[in-house]
Coordinates of all heavy atoms in Angstrom, one line a residue:
M56 N 0.9 -1.2 0.1 CA 0.0 0.0 -0.1 C 0.8 1.2 0.0 O 2.0 1.2 0.7 CB -1.0 0.0 1.3 CG -1.6 1.2 1.4 SD -2.7 1.2 2.8 CE -3.9 0.0 2.6
S57 N 0.6 2.2 -0.8 CA 1.2 3.5 -0.8 C 0.3 4.6 -0.7 O -0.8 4.6 -1.1 CB 2.2 3.6 -2.1 OG 1.4 3.6 -3.0
D58 N 0.8 5.8 -0.1 CA 0.0 6.9 0.0 C 0.4 7.8 -1.3 O 1.1 7.4 -2.0 CB 0.2 7.5 1.4 CG 1.6 8.0 1.7 OD1 2.3 8.2 0.8 OD2 1.9 8.2 2.9
S59 N -0.1 9.0 -1.1 CA 0.2 10.0 -2.2 C 1.5 10.4 -2.3 O 2.0 10.8 -3.4 CB -0.6 11.2 -2.0 OG -0.5 11.9 -0.8
S60 N 2.3 10.2 -1.3 CA 3.8 10.6 -1.2 C 4.6 9.5 -1.9 O 5.8 9.7 -2.2 CB 4.4 10.7 0.1 OG 4.4 9.5 0.8
G61 N 3.9 8.3 -2.3 CA 4.7 7.2 -2.9 C 5.5 6.2 -1.9 O 6.0 5.4 -2.3
L62 N 5.3 6.6 -0.5 CA 5.9 5.7 0.5 C 5.2 4.5 0.6 O 3.9 4.6 0.6 CB 6.1 6.5 1.8 CG 7.0 7.8 1.7 CD1 7.0 8.5 3.1 CD2 8.3 7.5 1.4
H63 N 5.8 3.4 0.9 CA 5.1 2.2 1.2 C 5.1 1.8 2.6 O 6.0 2.0 3.4 CB 5.9 1.1 0.4 CG 5.7 1.3 -1.1 ND1 4.7 0.9 -1.8 CD2 6.6 1.9 -2.0 CE1 4.9 1.3 -3.2 NE2 6.1 1.9 -3.2
A64 N 4.0 1.3 3.0 CA 3.9 0.9 4.5 C 3.7 -0.6 4.5 O 3.0 -1.2 3.7 CB 2.6 1.6 5.3
T65 N 4.4 -1.2 5.3 CA 4.2 -2.7 5.5 C 3.9 -3.0 7.0 O 4.4 -2.7 7.8 CB 5.6 -3.3 5.2 OG1 6.1 -2.9 4.0 CG2 5.6 -4.8 5.3
R66 N 2.9 -3.9 7.2 CA 2.5 -4.2 8.4 C 3.2 -5.6 8.8 O 3.5 -6.4 8.0 CB 1.0 -4.6 8.5 CG 0.2 -3.5 8.4 CD -1.4 -3.8 8.9 NE -2.1 -2.7 9.0 CZ -2.4 -2.0 9.9 NH1 -1.7 -2.3 11.1 NH2 -3.2 -1.0 10.0
L67 N 3.5 -5.6 10.0 CA 4.1 -6.8 10.6 C 3.2 -7.9 10.8 O 2.0 -7.5 10.9 CB 5.0 -6.6 12.0 CG 6.1 -5.6 11.9 CD1 6.6 -5.3 13.3 CD2 7.2 -6.1 11.0
P68 N 3.5 -9.2 10.6 CA 2.5 -10.1 10.8 C 1.8 -10.1 12.2 O 2.5 -9.8 13.2 CB 3.3 -11.6 10.8 CG 4.7 -11.1 10.2 CD 4.9 -9.7 10.5
G69 N 0.6 -10.1 12.2 CA -0.2 -10.1 13.4 C -0.4 -11.4 14.2 O 0.3 -12.4 13.8
G70 N -1.1 -11.4 15.2 CA -1.3 -12.6 16.1 C -0.2 -12.7 17.1 O 0.7 -12.1 17.2
R71 N -0.5 -13.7 17.9 CA 0.3 -14.0 19.1 C 0.9 -15.3 19.0 O 0.4 -16.2 18.3 CB -0.5 -13.9 20.4 CG -0.9 -12.5 20.7 CD -1.7 -12.5 22.1 NE -1.1 -11.3 22.9 CZ -1.9 -10.9 23.9 NH1 -2.9 -11.3 24.3 NH2 -1.3 -9.8 24.5
G72 N 2.0 -15.5 19.8 CA 2.6 -16.8 19.9 C 1.8 -17.8 20.8 O 0.7 -17.5 21.2
E73 N 2.4 -18.9 21.0 CA 1.8 -19.9 21.8 C 1.6 -19.5 23.2 O 2.5 -18.8 23.8 CB 2.5 -21.1 21.9 CG 2.7 -21.9 20.5 CD 1.5 -22.8 20.1 OE1 1.1 -23.4 21.1 OE2 1.0 -22.7 19.0
P74 N 0.5 -19.8 23.8 CA 0.5 -19.5 25.2 C 1.3 -20.2 26.1 O 1.5 -21.5 25.9 CB -1.0 -19.8 25.6 CG -1.7 -20.4 24.5 CD -0.8 -20.4 23.3
I75 N 2.1 -19.6 26.9 CA 3.0 -20.2 27.9 C 3.0 -19.7 29.2 O 2.1 -18.7 29.5 CB 4.4 -20.1 27.4 CG1 4.9 -18.6 27.3 CG2 4.7 -20.8 25.9 CD1 6.4 -18.4 27.0
E76 N 3.6 -20.4 30.2 CA 3.7 -19.7 31.5 C 5.1 -19.5 32.1 O 6.0 -20.2 31.7 CB 3.1 -20.8 32.5 CG 1.5 -20.7 32.6 CD 0.9 -21.5 33.5 OE1 1.6 -22.4 34.2 OE2 -0.3 -21.4 33.9
I77 N 5.3 -18.3 32.7 CA 6.5 -18.0 33.4 C 6.1 -17.9 34.9 O 5.0 -17.8 35.2 CB 7.2 -16.8 32.8 CG1 6.3 -15.6 33.0 CG2 7.6 -17.0 31.3 CD1 6.9 -14.3 32.6
T78 N 7.2 -17.9 35.8 CA 7.0 -17.6 37.1 C 7.5 -16.2 37.6 O 8.7 -16.0 37.3 CB 7.7 -18.7 37.9 OG1 7.1 -20.0 37.6 CG2 7.5 -18.4 39.4
V79 N 6.7 -15.4 38.1 CA 7.0 -14.1 38.5 C 6.9 -13.8 39.9 O 5.8 -13.9 40.4 CB 6.3 -13.0 37.7 CG1 6.7 -11.6 38.2 CG2 6.4 -13.1 36.2
D80 N 8.0 -13.8 40.7 CA 8.0 -13.6 42.2 C 7.2 -14.8 42.7 O 6.4 -14.6 43.7 CB 7.3 -12.2 42.6 CG 8.2 -11.0 42.2 OD1 9.5 -11.3 42.0 OD2 7.7 -10.0 41.9
G81 N 7.4 -15.9 42.2 CA 6.8 -17.1 42.8 C 5.3 -17.4 42.3 O 4.7 -18.4 42.7
E82 N 4.9 -16.5 41.5 CA 3.5 -16.8 40.9 C 3.5 -17.2 39.5 O 4.3 -16.5 38.8 CB 2.5 -15.5 41.2 CG 2.4 -15.2 42.6 CD 1.5 -14.0 42.9 OE1 0.8 -13.6 42.1 OE2 1.5 -13.4 44.0
R83 N 2.7 -18.0 39.0 CA 2.6 -18.3 37.7 C 1.9 -17.2 36.8 O 0.8 -16.7 37.3 CB 1.9 -19.7 37.6 CG 2.5 -20.8 38.1 CD 1.7 -22.1 38.0 NE 2.3 -22.7 36.8 CZ 2.6 -24.0 36.7 NH1 2.2 -24.8 37.7 NH2 3.0 -24.5 35.6
V84 N 2.5 -16.8 35.8 CA 1.9 -15.8 34.9 C 1.7 -16.3 33.5 O 2.7 -16.9 33.0 CB 2.9 -14.6 35.0 CG1 2.5 -13.5 33.9 CG2 2.8 -13.9 36.3
A85 N 0.6 -16.2 33.1 CA 0.3 -16.6 31.6 C 0.8 -15.4 30.6 O 0.6 -14.4 31.0 CB -1.2 -16.8 31.5
C86 N 1.4 -15.9 29.6 CA 1.8 -14.9 28.6 C 2.0 -15.7 27.3 O 1.5 -16.8 27.1 CB 3.1 -14.3 29.0 SG 4.5 -15.5 29.3
F87 N 2.6 -15.1 26.3 CA 2.6 -15.6 24.9 C 4.0 -15.6 24.4 O 4.7 -14.5 24.7 CB 1.8 -14.8 24.0 CG 0.3 -14.8 24.4 CD1 -0.2 -13.9 25.2 CD2 -0.6 -15.9 23.9 CE1 -1.7 -14.0 25.5 CE2 -1.9 -16.0 24.2 CZ -2.4 -15.0 25.1
A88 N 4.4 -16.7 24.0 CA 5.7 -16.9 23.2 C 6.0 -15.7 22.2 O 5.0 -15.3 21.5 CB 6.0 -18.1 22.6
G89 N 7.2 -15.1 22.3 CA 7.4 -13.9 21.5 C 7.4 -12.7 21.9 O 8.0 -11.7 21.5
E90 N 6.6 -12.6 23.1 CA 6.5 -11.2 23.6 C 7.7 -11.0 24.7 O 8.2 -12.0 25.1 CB 5.0 -10.9 24.4 CG 4.8 -11.8 25.5 CD 3.4 -11.6 26.0 OE1 2.6 -10.9 25.3 OE2 3.2 -12.2 27.1
T91 N 8.0 -9.8 24.9 CA 9.1 -9.5 25.9 C 8.7 -9.8 27.4 O 7.4 -9.8 27.7 CB 9.6 -8.0 25.8 OG1 8.5 -7.2 26.2 CG2 9.9 -7.8 24.4
V92 N 9.7 -10.0 28.2 CA 9.5 -10.1 29.6 C 8.7 -8.9 30.1 O 7.7 -8.8 30.9 CB 10.8 -10.3 30.4 CG1 10.4 -10.3 31.9 CG2 11.3 -11.6 29.9
A93 N 9.2 -7.7 29.6 CA 8.5 -6.4 30.1 C 7.0 -6.5 29.8 O 6.0 -6.1 30.4 CB 9.2 -5.2 29.5
A94 N 6.7 -6.9 28.4 CA 5.4 -6.8 28.0 C 4.5 -7.9 29.0 O 3.2 -7.6 29.3 CB 5.2 -7.1 26.7
A95 N 5.1 -9.0 29.3 CA 4.3 -10.0 30.0 C 4.2 -9.5 31.4 O 3.1 -9.7 31.9 CB 5.2 -11.3 30.1
L96 N 5.1 -8.9 32.1 CA 5.0 -8.3 33.4 C 3.9 -7.2 33.4 O 3.1 -7.1 34.3 CB 6.3 -7.8 33.9 CG 7.1 -8.9 34.7 CD1 7.4 -10.2 33.9 CD2 8.4 -8.3 35.3
L97 N 4.0 -6.3 32.4 CA 3.0 -5.1 32.4 C 1.7 -5.8 32.1 O 0.7 -5.3 32.9 CB 3.3 -4.1 31.2 CG 4.6 -3.4 31.6 CD1 5.1 -2.6 30.4 CD2 4.4 -2.5 32.9
A98 N 1.5 -6.7 31.3 CA 0.1 -7.4 31.0 C -0.4 -7.9 32.3 O -1.7 -8.0 32.5 CB 0.2 -8.3 29.9
A99 N 0.4 -8.5 33.1 CA 0.1 -9.3 34.3 C -0.2 -8.2 35.5 O -0.6 -8.6 36.6 CB 1.2 -10.2 34.8
G100 N 0.2 -7.0 35.2 CA -0.2 -6.0 36.4 C 0.8 -5.9 37.4 O 0.5 -5.3 38.4
V101 N 2.1 -6.2 37.0 CA 3.2 -6.0 38.0 C 3.4 -4.5 38.1 O 3.6 -3.8 37.2 CB 4.5 -6.6 37.4 CG1 5.7 -6.4 38.3 CG2 4.2 -8.2 37.4
P102 N 3.2 -4.0 39.4 CA 3.3 -2.7 39.6 C 4.4 -2.0 39.7 O 4.6 -0.7 39.4 CB 2.6 -2.5 41.1 CG 2.9 -3.7 41.6 CD 3.0 -4.8 40.6
E103 N 5.7 -2.7 39.8 CA 7.0 -2.2 39.7 C 7.9 -3.3 39.4 O 7.7 -4.4 39.9 CB 7.3 -1.4 41.0 CG 7.4 -2.1 42.2 CD 7.5 -1.4 43.5 OE1 6.7 -0.6 43.8 OE2 8.7 -1.6 44.1
F104 N 9.0 -2.9 38.7 CA 9.9 -4.0 38.4 C 11.1 -3.9 39.4 O 11.7 -5.0 39.7 CB 10.5 -3.7 37.0 CG 9.6 -4.1 35.8 CD1 8.3 -4.1 36.0 CD2 10.0 -4.4 34.6 CE1 7.4 -4.5 35.0 CE2 9.3 -4.7 33.5 CZ 8.0 -4.7 33.8
S105 N 11.4 -2.7 39.9 CA 12.5 -2.5 40.9 C 12.2 -1.3 41.6 O 11.4 -0.6 41.4 CB 13.9 -2.6 40.1 OG 14.0 -1.4 39.3
R106 N 13.3 -1.1 42.6 CA 13.2 0.2 43.3 C 14.7 0.7 43.3 O 15.6 0.0 43.5 CB 12.7 0.0 44.8 CG 11.3 -0.2 44.8 CD 10.8 0.0 46.4 NE 9.3 0.1 46.2 CZ 8.7 1.2 46.4 NH1 9.3 2.2 46.8 NH2 7.4 1.2 46.3
R107 N 14.7 2.1 43.1 CA 16.1 2.7 43.2 C 15.9 4.0 44.0 O 15.0 4.7 43.6 CB 16.6 3.0 41.7 CG 17.0 1.7 41.0 CD 18.0 2.0 40.0 NE 17.9 0.8 39.1 CZ 17.6 0.9 37.7 NH1 17.5 2.0 37.2 NH2 17.4 -0.2 37.0
G108 N 16.7 4.1 45.0 CA 16.5 5.3 45.8 C 15.2 5.5 46.4 O 14.6 6.5 46.7
G109 N 14.6 4.1 46.7 CA 13.2 4.2 47.2 C 12.1 4.3 46.3 O 10.9 4.3 46.7
E110 N 12.4 4.6 45.0 CA 11.3 4.9 44.0 C 11.0 3.7 43.1 O 12.0 3.1 42.7 CB 11.7 6.1 43.1 CG 11.9 7.4 43.8 CD 10.7 7.9 44.5 OE1 9.5 7.7 43.8 OE2 10.7 8.5 45.5
P111 N 9.9 3.5 43.0 CA 9.5 2.2 42.0 C 9.9 2.5 40.6 O 9.8 3.7 40.2 CB 8.0 2.2 42.1 CG 7.5 3.5 42.6 CD 8.6 4.1 43.4
R112 N 10.3 1.5 40.0 CA 10.9 1.6 38.5 C 10.0 0.7 37.6 O 9.6 -0.5 38.0 CB 12.3 1.2 38.4 CG 13.2 2.0 39.3 CD 12.8 3.4 39.3 NE 14.0 4.2 38.9 CZ 14.1 5.6 39.0 NH1 13.0 6.1 39.6 NH2 15.0 6.3 38.6
L113 N 9.7 1.2 36.4 CA 9.0 0.5 35.3 C 9.7 0.8 34.1 O 10.5 1.8 34.0 CB 7.6 0.9 35.4 CG 6.6 0.5 36.4 CD1 5.3 1.2 36.4 CD2 6.3 -1.1 36.2
P114 N 9.4 0.1 33.0 CA 10.1 0.3 31.8 C 10.0 1.7 31.2 O 8.8 2.2 31.4 CB 9.5 -0.8 30.8 CG 9.0 -1.9 31.7 CD 8.6 -1.2 33.0
L115 N 11.0 2.3 30.7 CA 10.8 3.7 30.2 C 11.0 3.8 28.7 O 10.2 4.2 28.0 CB 11.9 4.5 31.0 CG 11.9 6.1 30.6 CD1 10.5 6.7 30.8 CD2 12.9 6.7 31.3
C116 N 12.2 3.3 28.3 CA 12.6 3.5 26.9 C 12.1 2.4 26.1 O 11.8 2.5 24.9 CB 14.1 3.7 26.8 SG 15.0 2.1 27.0
N117 N 12.0 1.2 26.5 CA 11.7 -0.1 25.8 C 12.5 -0.4 24.6 O 12.0 -1.0 23.7 CB 10.2 0.0 25.4 CG 9.3 -0.3 26.5 OD1 9.4 -1.3 27.2 ND2 8.3 0.5 26.9
M118 N 13.7 0.1 24.8 CA 14.7 -0.3 23.7 C 16.2 -0.5 24.1 O 17.1 -0.4 23.5 CB 14.7 0.8 22.7 CG 15.2 2.2 23.1 SD 15.1 3.5 21.8 CE 16.1 4.6 22.5
G119 N 16.2 -0.8 25.4 CA 17.5 -1.3 26.1 C 18.5 -0.3 26.5 O 19.7 -0.6 26.8
T120 N 18.2 1.0 26.6 CA 19.1 2.0 27.0 C 19.0 2.5 28.4 O 19.9 3.0 28.9 CB 19.2 3.2 26.1 OG1 17.8 3.8 26.1 CG2 19.4 2.8 24.7
C121 N 17.9 2.4 29.0 CA 17.7 3.1 30.4 C 17.9 2.2 31.6 O 18.1 2.7 32.6 CB 16.3 3.7 30.5 SG 15.0 2.7 30.7
F122 N 17.8 0.9 31.4 CA 17.8 -0.1 32.4 C 16.8 0.0 33.5 O 16.9 -0.5 34.6 CB 19.2 -0.1 33.1 CG 20.4 -0.7 32.3 CD1 20.8 0.0 31.2 CD2 20.9 -2.0 32.6 CE1 21.9 -0.7 30.5 CE2 21.8 -2.5 31.9 CZ 22.2 -2.0 30.7
E123 N 15.8 0.8 33.3 CA 14.7 1.0 34.3 C 13.8 -0.4 34.4 O 13.0 -0.6 35.3 CB 13.7 2.1 33.9 CG 14.4 3.5 34.0 CD 14.8 3.9 35.3 OE1 13.8 3.7 36.2 OE2 15.9 4.4 35.5
C124 N 14.0 -1.3 33.5 CA 13.3 -2.5 33.5 C 14.0 -3.6 33.9 O 13.6 -4.8 33.7 CB 12.9 -2.8 32.0 SG 14.2 -3.2 31.0
G125 N 15.2 -3.4 34.7 CA 16.0 -4.4 35.1 C 15.3 -5.4 36.2 O 14.7 -5.0 37.0
V126 N 15.3 -6.7 35.8 CA 14.9 -7.7 36.8 C 15.8 -8.8 36.8 O 16.7 -8.9 36.0 CB 13.4 -8.2 36.2 CG1 12.4 -7.2 36.5 CG2 13.5 -8.7 34.8
T127 N 15.6 -9.8 37.6 CA 16.4 -10.9 37.6 C 15.7 -12.2 36.9 O 14.5 -12.5 37.2 CB 16.8 -11.4 39.1 OG1 17.4 -10.4 39.9 CG2 17.4 -12.7 39.1
V128 N 16.3 -12.6 35.9 CA 15.8 -13.6 35.1 C 16.6 -15.0 35.2 O 17.8 -14.9 34.9 CB 15.6 -13.3 33.6 CG1 15.0 -14.4 32.7 CG2 14.7 -11.9 33.5
D129 N 16.1 -15.9 35.7 CA 16.7 -17.3 35.9 C 18.0 -17.0 36.5 O 19.0 -17.7 36.2 CB 16.9 -18.0 34.5 CG 15.6 -18.4 33.8 OD1 14.7 -18.6 34.5 OD2 15.6 -18.5 32.6
G130 N 18.0 -16.2 37.5 CA 19.1 -16.0 38.5 C 20.1 -14.9 37.9 O 21.0 -14.6 38.6
V131 N 19.8 -14.4 36.8 CA 20.8 -13.3 36.1 C 20.2 -11.9 36.6 O 19.2 -11.5 36.0 CB 20.8 -13.4 34.8 CG1 21.8 -12.4 34.2 CG2 21.4 -14.9 34.4
P132 N 20.9 -11.2 37.5 CA 20.3 -10.0 37.9 C 20.5 -8.8 36.8 O 21.4 -9.0 36.0 CB 21.3 -9.6 39.1 CG 22.5 -10.3 39.0 CD 22.1 -11.6 38.1
L133 N 19.6 -7.7 37.0 CA 19.7 -6.6 36.1 C 19.6 -7.1 34.6 O 20.1 -6.5 33.8 CB 20.9 -5.8 36.3 CG 20.8 -4.3 35.9 CD1 19.5 -3.7 36.5 CD2 22.0 -3.5 36.1
T134 N 18.7 -8.0 34.3 CA 18.4 -8.4 32.9 C 17.3 -7.4 32.4 O 16.3 -7.2 33.1 CB 17.8 -9.7 32.9 OG1 18.7 -10.7 33.3 CG2 17.4 -10.3 31.5
R135 N 17.6 -6.8 31.3 CA 16.7 -5.8 30.7 C 15.4 -6.5 30.0 O 15.6 -7.2 29.1 CB 17.3 -5.0 29.7 CG 18.2 -4.0 30.2 CD 19.1 -3.3 29.2 NE 20.1 -4.3 28.8 CZ 21.1 -4.0 27.8 NH1 21.0 -2.7 27.3 NH2 21.9 -4.8 27.4
A136 N 14.3 -6.3 30.9 CA 13.1 -7.2 30.5 C 12.5 -6.7 29.0 O 11.9 -7.4 28.5 CB 12.0 -7.0 31.6
C137 N 13.0 -5.5 28.7 CA 12.5 -4.9 27.4 C 13.1 -5.6 26.2 O 12.6 -5.6 25.1 CB 12.4 -3.5 27.4 SG 14.2 -2.9 27.2
L138 N 14.3 -6.3 26.5 CA 15.0 -6.9 25.4 C 14.8 -8.4 25.3 O 15.3 -9.0 24.3 CB 16.5 -6.5 25.5 CG 16.8 -5.0 25.4 CD1 18.3 -4.8 25.5 CD2 16.3 -4.5 24.1
L139 N 14.3 -9.0 26.3 CA 14.5 -10.5 26.4 C 13.0 -11.0 26.1 O 11.9 -10.6 26.8 CB 14.9 -10.9 27.8 CG 15.1 -12.4 28.0 CD1 16.0 -13.0 27.1 CD2 15.3 -12.7 29.5
A140 N 12.9 -12.0 25.2 CA 11.5 -12.7 25.0 C 11.3 -13.7 26.1 O 12.3 -14.3 26.5 CB 11.6 -13.3 23.6
V141 N 10.1 -13.9 26.5 CA 9.7 -14.9 27.5 C 9.9 -16.3 26.9 O 9.9 -16.4 25.6 CB 8.3 -14.7 27.9 CG1 8.1 -13.5 28.7 CG2 7.3 -14.8 26.8
S142 N 10.2 -17.3 27.8 CA 10.1 -18.6 27.3 C 9.6 -19.4 28.3 O 9.7 -19.1 29.5 CB 11.7 -19.1 27.1 OG 12.5 -19.0 28.2
A143 N 9.0 -20.6 28.1 CA 8.3 -21.4 29.0 C 9.2 -21.8 30.1 O 10.3 -22.2 30.0 CB 7.6 -22.6 28.3
G144 N 8.6 -21.6 31.3 CA 9.4 -22.0 32.6 C 10.4 -21.0 33.0 O 11.0 -21.3 34.0
M145 N 10.4 -19.9 32.4 CA 11.4 -18.8 32.9 C 10.9 -18.3 34.3 O 9.7 -18.3 34.6 CB 11.2 -17.6 31.8 CG 12.0 -16.4 32.1 SD 11.8 -15.2 30.9 CE 13.0 -15.6 29.8
T146 N 12.0 -18.1 35.1 CA 11.7 -17.5 36.4 C 12.1 -16.0 36.4 O 13.3 -15.7 36.2 CB 12.4 -18.3 37.5 OG1 12.0 -19.7 37.5 CG2 12.1 -17.7 38.8
V147 N 11.2 -15.2 36.8 CA 11.6 -13.8 36.9 C 11.2 -13.2 38.3 O 10.3 -13.6 38.9 CB 10.6 -12.9 36.0 CG1 10.9 -11.4 36.0 CG2 10.7 -13.4 34.5
E148 N 12.3 -12.5 38.9 CA 12.1 -11.9 40.2 C 12.2 -10.3 40.0 O 13.3 -9.9 39.4 CB 13.2 -12.4 41.1 CG 13.1 -14.0 41.2 CD 14.3 -14.4 42.0 OE1 14.7 -13.9 42.9 OE2 15.0 -15.2 41.4
T149 N 11.2 -9.7 40.5 CA 11.3 -8.2 40.5 C 12.0 -8.0 42.1 O 12.1 -8.9 42.7 CB 10.0 -7.6 40.5 OG1 9.1 -7.9 41.6 CG2 9.3 -8.0 39.2
S150 N 12.3 -6.7 42.3 CA 12.7 -6.4 43.6 C 11.5 -5.8 44.5 O 11.8 -5.2 45.4 CB 13.9 -5.5 43.4 OG 13.7 -4.4 42.9
R151 N 10.3 -6.2 44.2 CA 9.3 -5.7 45.1 C 9.4 -6.5 46.3 O 9.8 -7.7 46.4 CB 7.8 -6.2 44.5 CG 7.6 -5.4 43.3 CD 6.2 -6.0 42.8 NE 6.2 -7.2 42.2 CZ 5.1 -7.9 41.9 NH1 3.9 -7.5 42.3 NH2 5.3 -9.2 41.4
A152 N 9.1 -5.9 47.4 CA 9.2 -6.6 48.6 C 8.4 -5.7 49.8 O 8.2 -4.6 49.5 CB 10.7 -6.8 49.2
Ligands
FES401 S1 12.9 0.0 29.4 FE1 14.8 0.9 29.1 S2 16.3 -0.6 29.2 FE2 14.4 -1.7 29.2

């Protein structure tokens, strides 16, 4: 499809991946293969991913530069949730407490 400027727009394929489950702070969370950990946590209603200076943190840039989405994934701390796709059985820990 092109507009009057002659530029072409392309849509990415739609749809979601297979339904899978991950564990977030000890609770099972349903999500879809192919989405990011950040998307899965936000869709699950996780209110904060971490705290710094006493302030709650959530994803900001969603492109890997700010580290506001840092969580522990399968034991690896400060994993940027916005860059990592979920996988079945993955364990995610926020620093909520
Ligand atoms: S939201 Fe900025 S690095 Fe993930």
